[in-house]
Amino acid sequence: MKNHYEAHQLLILSKDSIVYKQTIEQAGFSNLSILAVDEPGEAIRFGGESDLLFGDPSLACQVINLIPSIRWYQSSWAGIEALVLPGMRTDYLLTNARNVYGEMMSEYVFGYLLMIERQILPRWQSQLKHIWDERPSGTLKGKWIGLLGVGSIGSHLAITAHHLGMHVLGYTRISESCTNVDQYFHGNEILDFVSKLDYLVCSLPYTPTTKGMINANLLSYIPTKAWLINIGRGSTVDETALREALNYGKIAGAVLDVFDVEPLPDGHPFWDTPNTYITSHTAAKNYLPDIADLFIENYKLFINGKSLKYLVNFEQHY
Amino acid sequence: MKNHYEAHQLLILSKDSIVYKQTIEQAGFSNLSILAVDEPGEAIRFGGESDLLFGDPSLACQVINLIPSIRWYQSSWAGIEALVLPGMRTDYLLTNARNVYGEMMSEYVFGYLLMIERQILPRWQSQLKHIWDERPSGTLKGKWIGLLGVGSIGSHLAITAHHLGMHVLGYTRISESCTNVDQYFHGNEILDFVSKLDYLVCSLPYTPTTKGMINANLLSYIPTKAWLINIGRGSTVDETALREALNYGKIAGAVLDVFDVEPLPDGHPFWDTPNTYITSHTAAKNYLPDIADLFIENYKLFINGKSLKYLVNFEQHY
């Protein structure tokens, strides 16, 4: 308990800094002073003595090297690519946001999967024409979902998929820790893994090894009835190969929240690719109270000298 | 075990009779002869000696009085109004389809709820205009769902709602058997029940007492932020009062699968009522294997002289 009474200076740097500050203040930590800003310039001007940092990686990456007193940075996002670029400091504790995204991602993924199965969009188009549309619905029950990546997001997807009566396959490097995966695949079993799916959901983070993993060869093994959902990083997909697969009906469709270039430019061919739903990297917009709770939970561990949750390995990028 | 070796003649009368027959034949009952037809005339012509009937109420109601040898009728649907009209036989065992609908109804209800929260439709409209649409999403987590009727369908909705982190209120006549309901309301507590909801989901069957239950007064107690989802029977809703509530923004919107008159006529004002999604009584189209399994399960009880599941009380209509 040696750190319990030590004073700490927390810098909150986020576009949601005000909400985060309110939530953390309500936790009532006695020796914690809090500065909340939404702009890197202000962070450097007023927060140069801070030892703790909490907030958005897109902003934090602009200050982390300039405030050497920071000993621990709690990211408010899962993706921390910007913090592991060459030349960035690695002499501090970096923790990211994990379990908080599972629920939001589940709502996104199963929102789209159910929209597809229940044919909500064509039914609505019938409604506009006053047509009593009795087309049959599909069902997720009994269908096969493949999780490319079974981290905290994939694990939550697995629970919801099981709840809805789906068969759940998982592809991971080595981990088999999620008990809601019915069958695991690793290494060069990836073609086998995708070969009988109805839905392939990619939640892989950006790492050097995931880049271009969903390429023309892999896509050729995915059944023509199957949909691809990408909620991880755009770089995992060979976008040209995916567009070809969609244009020629080699797969049924795609739901894409992430792209090589974001925002997707106006003239980009993805906008008009058939059977493709485009969303704007909004699949897991922060559920703010949960993110703040994550900081609070980790801060309690920190002041008690215990190991932090969701510590990022700078080598592995996750 | 006295009935075990008795021979039975099963008449399957359904538009899905062929699928049902295949599934039931696969169960391999030794003394069961099966006739499968999809038309009442054929049923009467060839099935006049049958002691068991399985199939669709809309067809079964046309033959049940004409084939007095039928001792047990397993309905393939939940709604059995057509079988309890004045003048219909009541001297046989009537069982209906229950738990099989919960999963399909869950997919329907949460498909629409997630579409609403995730703003899938406006996002798709942005996509058509090549707009990178970063509008925030809502979340079902932490929201309040009210189940008007907590039978087998409502109970399944309660489980899924809890899985998604919702608060679950239930309104029933007396039952409090579903443990996934956080708080129950009965009798004249109905105005209190609806007063803090985000979503009101009605799965009530048709009975004399449910008719017009969702009237102008009840609608005036529902928060303006709330949506009504009706997957029970059209008669539960005063449709004129509902359209007024929708036209004047007194509630946020409606998802309606059932109507006073079905199919909804082309000129009906519901087609163009704002914030209203119309579906064509398709929320719980049979998941055929499950329905056949239900017959098989009950048939095993029947030949062993045990009580059947989902027995309908002719007085209460459920």
Side-chain angles (χ1 to χ4, degrees):
Chain A
M1 302 290 271
K2 67 182 165 61
N3 290 319
H4 201 90
Y5 299 101
E6 251 180 55
H8 293 290
Q9 291 187 36
L10 170 63
L11 170 63
I12 302 178
L13 175 56
S14 165
K15 62 176 180 32
D16 301 304
S17 58
I18 292 167
V19 179
Y20 288 147
K21 183 165 188 256
Q22 284 171 346
T23 310
I24 295 170
E25 280 179 344
Q26 280 165 13
F29 294 113
S30 52
N31 272 309
L32 182 67
S33 65
I34 305 176
L35 171 70
V37 298
D38 57 10
E39 199 269 313
E42 283 184 42
I44 292 160
R45 191 135 35 111
F46 303 113
E49 306 293 310
S50 309
D51 60 337
L52 311 181
L53 177 63
F54 171 50
D56 309 343
S58 60
L59 305 174
C61 69
Q62 300 175 52
V63 309
I64 190 80
N65 276 15
L66 299 172
I67 310 179
S69 53
I70 291 170
R71 295 163 50 193
W72 166 41
Y73 163 40
Q74 171 68 54
S75 167
S76 57
W77 302 351
I80 43 70
E81 297 94 309
L83 278 302
V84 294
L85 295 174
M88 299 297 289
R89 279 177 62 195
T90 59
D91 60 344
Y92 66 99
L93 298 171
L94 171 59
T95 52
N96 68 351
R98 294 187 203 176
N99 286 340
V100 290
Y101 289 99
E103 292 167 328
M104 296 299 108
M105 289 290 194
S106 259
E107 292 200 12
Y108 176 91
V109 169
F110 292 98
Y112 277 92
L113 265 51
L114 288 170
M115 181 195 70
I116 292 162
E117 291 290 347
R118 302 292 322 190
Q119 308 217 44
I120 288 178
L121 198 51
R123 273 182 221 286
W124 177 73
Q125 290 168 316
S126 293
Q127 178 181 344
L128 296 180
K129 293 182 239 168
H130 297 196
I131 293 170
W132 183 255
D133 182 343
E134 295 187 282
R135 75 181 68 211
S137 289
T139 171
L140 290 178
K141 183 177 176 181
K143 292 234 164 63
W144 295 76
I145 190 169
L147 305 172
L148 190 54
V150 190
S152 67
I153 291 167
S155 298
H156 202 280
L157 295 175
I159 297 169
T160 305
H162 261 180
H163 175 76
L164 294 168
M166 302 184 81
H167 305 287
V168 183
L169 307 184
Y171 181 85
T172 62
R173 219 164 43 122
I174 44 169
S175 164
E176 298 198 351
S177 58
C178 173
T179 54
N180 278 285
V181 170
D182 299 314
Q183 192 183 352
Y184 277 101
F185 298 79
H186 312 286
N188 58 14
E189 297 167 340
I190 192 162
L191 299 179
D192 197 23
F193 161 69
V194 302
S195 67
K196 60 177 171 178
L197 297 179
D198 296 290
Y199 294 99
L200 172 62
V201 183
C202 172
S203 63
L204 291 172
Y206 173 80
T207 75
T209 55
T210 60
K211 190 166 163 55
M213 192 183 249
I214 300 177
N215 56 23
N217 186 46
L218 185 77
L219 286 162
S220 75
Y221 280 81
I222 298 175
T224 54
K225 67 177 176 178
W227 286 71
L228 169 69
I229 294 90
N230 191 8
I231 52 173
R233 282 292 179 264
S235 57
T236 311
V237 174
D238 176 338
E239 294 189 340
T240 307
L242 174 58
R243 279 199 304 280
E244 177 161 320
L246 290 163
N247 282 323
Y248 291 95
K250 294 176 183 173
I251 66 172
V255 180
L256 306 172
D257 190 49
V258 289
F259 303 89
D260 267 344
V261 179
E262 296 176 9
L264 199 65
D266 182 20
H268 198 284
F270 258 137
W271 288 115
D272 298 310
T273 302
N275 303 316
T276 302
Y277 294 102
I278 305 287
T279 59
S280 307
H281 208 141
T282 50
K285 279 284 178 197
N286 305 358
Y287 185 66
L288 301 178
D290 283 355
I291 306 276
D293 285 347
L294 198 101
F295 171 83
I296 290 166
E297 186 185 357
N298 251 345
Y299 182 68
K300 288 179 185 164
L301 297 171
F302 185 81
I303 58 179
N304 286 300
K306 294 189 177 157
S307 308
L308 300 183
K309 286 175 93 163
Y310 314 131
L311 205 57
V312 173
N313 177 321
F314 282 100
E315 298 302 314
Q316 293 189 326
H317 297 194
Y318 64 86
Chain B
M1 303 291 272
K2 68 183 165 56
N3 292 318
H4 200 90
Y5 299 102
E6 249 179 57
H8 293 290
Q9 292 188 37
L10 170 63
L11 170 62
I12 302 178
L13 175 55
S14 165
K15 62 176 178 36
D16 301 304
S17 59
I18 292 167
V19 180
Y20 289 147
K21 182 165 188 258
Q22 283 171 346
T23 310
I24 294 169
E25 279 179 342
Q26 280 164 14
F29 294 113
S30 52
N31 274 307
L32 181 67
S33 63
I34 304 177
L35 171 70
V37 298
D38 56 11
E39 198 271 311
E42 283 184 43
I44 292 160
R45 193 140 31 116
F46 303 113
E49 306 293 308
S50 308
D51 61 336
L52 310 181
L53 177 63
F54 170 50
D56 310 342
S58 60
L59 304 174
C61 70
Q62 300 174 52
V63 309
I64 190 80
N65 276 17
L66 300 172
I67 310 179
S69 52
I70 291 170
R71 294 162 51 194
W72 164 42
Y73 164 39
Q74 171 67 56
S75 168
S76 56
W77 303 351
I80 42 70
E81 297 96 312
L83 278 303
V84 294
L85 295 174
M88 300 296 288
R89 279 177 61 194
T90 59
D91 59 345
Y92 65 100
L93 297 170
L94 171 59
T95 53
N96 68 351
R98 293 186 204 175
N99 286 340
V100 290
Y101 289 99
E103 292 166 328
M104 295 300 107
M105 289 289 194
S106 260
E107 293 199 13
Y108 175 91
V109 168
F110 292 98
Y112 277 91
L113 265 51
L114 289 169
M115 180 195 70
I116 292 163
E117 290 290 347
R118 301 290 324 188
Q119 308 217 45
I120 288 178
L121 197 51
R123 274 183 220 285
W124 179 72
Q125 289 167 316
S126 293
Q127 178 182 343
L128 296 180
K129 293 182 241 167
H130 298 195
I131 293 170
W132 183 255
D133 182 343
E134 296 188 281
R135 76 180 67 210
S137 290
T139 171
L140 290 178
K141 184 178 176 180
K143 292 233 164 62
W144 295 76
I145 191 170
L147 305 172
L148 190 54
V150 191
S152 67
I153 291 166
S155 298
H156 202 280
L157 296 175
I159 296 170
T160 305
H162 261 179
H163 175 76
L164 294 168
M166 301 185 82
H167 304 288
V168 183
L169 307 184
Y171 181 86
T172 62
R173 219 163 45 121
I174 44 169
S175 163
E176 298 198 350
S177 57
C178 172
T179 55
N180 278 284
V181 170
D182 299 314
Q183 193 184 351
Y184 276 100
F185 297 80
H186 311 287
N188 58 14
E189 297 167 341
I190 193 162
L191 300 179
D192 197 22
F193 161 68
V194 301
S195 67
K196 60 176 170 180
L197 297 179
D198 296 290
Y199 294 99
L200 173 61
V201 183
C202 172
S203 63
L204 291 172
Y206 173 79
T207 75
T209 55
T210 60
K211 191 167 163 53
M213 192 183 250
I214 301 178
N215 56 24
N217 185 47
L218 185 77
L219 285 162
S220 74
Y221 280 81
I222 298 176
T224 54
K225 67 176 176 179
W227 286 72
L228 169 69
I229 294 88
N230 190 9
I231 52 172
R233 283 292 180 263
S235 57
T236 311
V237 174
D238 176 338
E239 294 189 341
T240 306
L242 175 58
R243 279 199 305 280
E244 177 161 319
L246 290 162
N247 282 322
Y248 292 94
K250 293 176 183 173
I251 67 172
V255 180
L256 305 173
D257 190 50
V258 288
F259 302 90
D260 266 345
V261 178
E262 295 176 10
L264 199 64
D266 182 21
H268 198 284
F270 258 136
W271 288 115
D272 298 310
T273 302
N275 303 315
T276 302
Y277 294 103
I278 305 287
T279 60
S280 306
H281 208 139
T282 51
K285 280 283 178 195
N286 306 358
Y287 185 67
L288 300 178
D290 282 356
I291 306 275
D293 284 347
L294 197 101
F295 171 82
I296 291 166
E297 186 186 358
N298 251 345
Y299 182 69
K300 288 178 185 163
L301 297 171
F302 185 81
I303 58 179
N304 286 300
K306 294 189 178 157
S307 308
L308 300 183
K309 286 176 93 165
Y310 314 132
L311 206 57
V312 172
N313 177 321
F314 282 100
E315 298 301 314
Q316 291 189 328
H317 297 193
Y318 65 86

